[in-house]
Amino acid sequence: MSFFGLDCVRKKERELERKLRANDREYNLSFKYATNAIKTSKYNFFTFLPLNLFEQFQRIANAYFLFLLVLQVIPAISSLSWFTTVVPLVLVLTVTAAKDATDDINRHRSDNHVNNRKVEVLIDRKLRSEKWMDVQVGDIIKLENNQFVTADLLLLSSSEPLNLVYIETAELDGETNLKVRQALPVTGDLGDDIEKLADFNGEVRCEPPNNRLDRFTGTLTYAGQKYPLDNEKILLRGCTLRNTEWCFGLVLFGGPETKLMQNCGKSTFKRTSIDRLMNVLVLCIFGFLAIMCTILAIGNFFWEMNEGSQFTVFLPRQEGKDAKFSAFLTFWSYVIILNTVVPISLYVSVEIIRLGNSFYIDWDRKMYFARNDTPAEARTTTLNEELGQIKYVFSDKTGTLTQNIMTFNKCSINGKSYGDVYDYTGQRIEITESTDTVDFSFNPLADPRFMFHDHALVEAVKLENPEVHAFFRLLALCHTVMAEEKTEGELLYQAQSPDEGALVTAARNFGFVFRSRTPESVSIMEMGQQRSYELLAILDFNNVRKRMSVIVRSPEGKLSLYCKGADTIIYERLHQSCSKLMDVTTEHLNEFAGEGLRTLALAYKDLDEDYFSQWKQRHHEASTTLADREDKLDQLYEEIEKDLLLLGATAIEDKLQDGVPHTIEQLSKADVKIWVLTGDKQETAENIGYSCNLLREEMNEVFIISGNSPEDVRQELRNARTSMKPDATEDSMFIPERILSNRVKVITDEVVNGEYGLVINGHSLAYALEHSMELEFLRTACMCKAVICCRVTPLQKAQVVELVKKYKQAVTLAIGDGANDVSMIKAAHIGVGISGQEGMQAVLSSDYSFAQFRFLQRLLLVHGRWSYLRMCKFLRYFFYKNFTFTFVHFWYAFFCGFSAQTVYDEWFITLYNLMYTALPVLGMSLFDQDVNDLWSFQHPQLYMPGQLNLYFSKKAFFKCALHSCYSSLVIFFIPYLAMNDTVRDDGKDVADYQSFALLTQTCLMFAVSIQLGFEMAYWTAVNTFFILGSLAMYFAVTFTMYSNGMFLMLPSAFPFIGETARNSLNQPNIWLTILLTSILCVLPVVTYRFLMIQLCPTINDRVIFKVRQAKAAPPPLPRRARIRRTSSRRSGYAFSHAQGYGDLVTSGRFLRRPAVSRSSGFAHTGRTTTGFSPMGRSAGYSPTGRPQNVKVNDVEVTSLQMYRTMDHTL
């Protein structure tokens, strides 16, 4: 760590190989490896003030005001008091510093919370409790069940047989299913013997720190032997130890060098596009200010040369101060006077507006999730208006779009479909929470959380239908689930994927209970009878096979092969006698897939004893060969997995979060493009894409990019682009965008006929993100309506976001719920964290957080759009009122000898932005809305102008400047001409400087107030009070300050002669002048808006017209129909499964301590109360054992659930 709190990683970039020795801190310290402390904060006590001020003065306006302050302390130049600048500047710096300090204190607290966690470390032959930050590379530490892994460790030994440990990697890859790691036998023998562990002096040589989560290479040298190390022996920081009493590990990487932190990405200072535009505009304003001051300085020079010489008789010049020097001083004097073109109150007001709109998000009850007591939270106050300009949304899948809960919904057995519920007329009815569920009381081992609604299936089981029994017997036998039963009847399933757990739990509830397994057998309870099947072989799953099989021998000695997998794969291997059953099952599969369910086909065959003996011998030979082992095994699997008999199919739902399809539909109508970046396998992600309406059957084509080489990927991308746009050319994809003289390439949006989707897997994406191919990938992806990236690493997620940010002139948003999403959240313009089941890492790194994905549409379509609209209105009006205020000085200079005299009273100049016009514009910026939230959902197209920067841009700014120029001409010259050679009713002269100043500033106040009234679309009592109250305040202050008493007490502070206000404002011609000026100022605005609405109305104009027609009534409540898709597509093999678990099961490496002895305990007379809490589930299976499907009463229904979008042609 450097002194300024920045990670110093230059040394680590040069590290080519890591060397360390166990239990030898002195040796390991010589390499200066990072400790296990992490630091995400930016400041410390000593660096906060200098660093924060340095950051704040990088904002051009702050540096400009500091420069003005220096000028104002020079008496020869300044015509205004220094406090008019220093007070607002200090206020802005203090408020911003306080906000930054609060944010950084929260980061310090988070760091301290993590760094001060305790872990047992082996030091001086004793286990000592140490803080995480004190752990060093080479230390041996002890972890216990449910503890977070402290650092990246080499697993040495564990409490489980064969030194296995079970870990949950949700913080790394978003998957909550358990994974298995195993120690080397040589280190496993150390056990928990402290003396042996203290004597362990193995040396590790391995790869340097990197961000690859799926790979590790290294060697362990111990007792003269060298042992290879791979990813299966490593525990990564961020994992959680599950179902393992204890384990010991050797620290390889600590703190910032762990793979978790290497994937976190850098924290960047996020600024909105309006902020960036403001910097450009402020530079333009400075240039314009310099031009105005130069013109006035030149005017002063000529005036001094021609007219000024006539005054030297009674106003002699000082020596050495001629006309040139006078012009020089005049230039700087006008820089001070005209500085209100960029008033510092602009930045104070912007921060207040952002803070207010952040509170609206925090207070929004319609974004509150009652089940978890989780409100929405705006964790930053600087990005609200950016929410109204989002073009690309990058979303995680598991836990963000889905609940990661698999439910066994339906099945097809021997040509009959189960799962739907019908009424007495035979009509299918929709299943709701109030629908009756099947009573499983006949089964004491049933999971109480499993819910099924079709009573026909349980009746078929009770009637001992042979096909139904064979169906559930297959589900109970053909899997790699591990069961644990610590007490009688208390079953705990450890599934490698939620799908497997759901299927095994379904079989369990229907009377086929998987109880235990050994490497050679599987024990199940079949309708109350304990049966043990001999496990002869597991034909494991992989991505090519898309199926798995088991070969078992029943207690009666019958040999059978049970197979489950993707229906297209299973159908190719069925016996021809199954053709009619295939047709019926295919119809059921189409129906299941049409509802977005994940389908599997089930089949079996009986085997001949002699044939199997011969096959088993060949299988053993193939599994022990070194050359082409995989190919030989695949050939054997193909040989035996044929002529299968079809049993049926299952349909599992990966439960989407509530409202996800509707939210995606709404955002799509708002022209927001959604890309899903997930660590899940392709089939799973694709199925979810269809379930949530991201991919649709109506699409012309969904392209699959799965090349294994750069050439293959490039060709697949080109083929996809050619299919979408055959006439596409290579040189039409860029438009030059010049920003501050830096030319960058921006990829244009290419119009294609039809809608397309793109699915790309992780290894293909790695090639596509290479510099030579990234534009090819981005161009193809941007032509698609939806993009899904599968098997991506956390760093790849961030790279995809960075790629879009770099080449697309668009605002991006990333949303996720796990630590694997942190880098993506940090990389996007806006980061949103879902406070779900995968920890709080994503929330802590996010800009906004809430509990459900469906709240995203309210965040964008309501809060984001309103914030953007309010900010743009504020900026347009603020520049208008200040340019108008300032330009009057410019015109007055031609009538005061360019003497830098102000046209207004100094008190009016001081109070104009702070008191007279501050609250009205703030009221508009906090309360204004063109239409209410219901109409915003009814017409998502209202969101599009924000994506195109239509409300505030350089063009809008220059229109505002021209409008201000016109208004200032009217406000100066109408009073000037009206008062010229004018007398009062009593014959006294009215045309003095002070009376003219009063009339001009009064005209200005009325003009800007009326203009504000035209800007507001939503009047409230607060807005009305602010506008009328500000005018009343102006007159009250004016009559008080322009009085005899104030003038006589402090003539230097209140130079206007008493009674100026009363004597001027009691004249009818003065009020007629104010009226004429106000009408002439607003007349062009009214005319322009009338013509625009009539000739080319915007989407806002048309919706507002509809609202007025409906007399502001809410839109009609559409009937919320259940979303069903008709589809000919069947879901692929939907397991979130990894290859190799069959080998693990049959090797015996999974074995745990012996379970308690058990009897069948199976009674048909009702459920027995055994006090158990089984963890498996189908309707709510969670491999982590978290309770699910808990019914919550009185959950507030959000408006997003009440109102669906109706397609209206506007």
Side-chain angles (χ1 to χ4, degrees), residues 1011 1014-1015 1084-1094:
Q1011 179 65 32
F1014 279 110
E1015 289 288 341
V1085 177
V1086 175
T1087 305
Y1088 175 78
R1089 292 189 180 180
F1090 173 78
L1091 293 176
M1092 291 298 293
I1093 291 174
Q1094 295 301 317

Side-chain angles (χ1 to χ4, degrees), residues 403-410 437 440 447-453 498-499 501-507 509-510 651-655 1175-1182 1186-1190:
Q403 302 177 37
N404 202 27
I405 299 173
M406 305 300 173
T407 61
F408 181 87
N409 271 19
K410 298 180 181 180
T437 59
F440 291 107
D447 185 340
R449 280 164 294 204
F450 178 88
M451 289 188 294
F452 200 75
H453 301 277
D499 306 66
L503 293 173
V504 175
T505 303
N509 273 59
F510 283 101
I652 292 178
E653 179 184 4
D654 184 359
K655 272 189 172 297
M1175 298 305 295
R1177 65 185 169 179
S1178 174
Y1181 174 78
S1182 170
R1186 297 186 179 94
Q1188 301 290 343
N1189 290 330
V1190 180

Side-chain angles (χ1 to χ4, degrees), residues 61 66 121 137 209 459 479 526 539 556 594 627 701 731 745 754 815 830 934 976 1025 1070 1107 1109:
L66 183 64
V121 184
V137 171
E459 291 302 321
H479 55 77
E526 292 188 10
L539 284 56
E556 294 80 18
E701 190 173 352
D731 55 354
K745 289 183 176 179
I815 179 169
I830 303 284
L934 302 184
Y976 177 79
F1025 173 75
I1070 295 295
V1107 173
Q1109 279 187 322

Side-chain angles (χ1 to χ4, degrees), residues 165-176:
V165 297
Y166 304 93
I167 56 171
E168 180 185 291
T169 60
E171 292 288 336
L172 291 173
D173 56 19
E175 296 182 6
T176 54

Side-chain angles (χ1 to χ4, degrees), residues 433-451:
E433 289 186 1
S434 60
T435 306
D436 289 339
T437 59
V438 171
D439 181 13
F440 291 107
S441 59
F442 71 92
N443 181 358
L445 295 177
D447 185 340
R449 280 164 294 204
F450 178 88
M451 289 188 294

Side-chain angles (χ1 to χ4, degrees), residues 73 81 250 774:
V73 298
S81 302
L250 174 65
E774 59 182 12

Side-chain angles (χ1 to χ4, degrees), residues 393 395 663-664 667-668 672-676 694 785-787 853:
V393 170
S395 175
T663 300
I664 289 177
L667 294 179
S668 180
V672 176
K673 293 188 176 182
I674 299 178
W675 292 22
V676 174
L694 188 63
K785 189 73 173 177
V787 178
F853 181 83

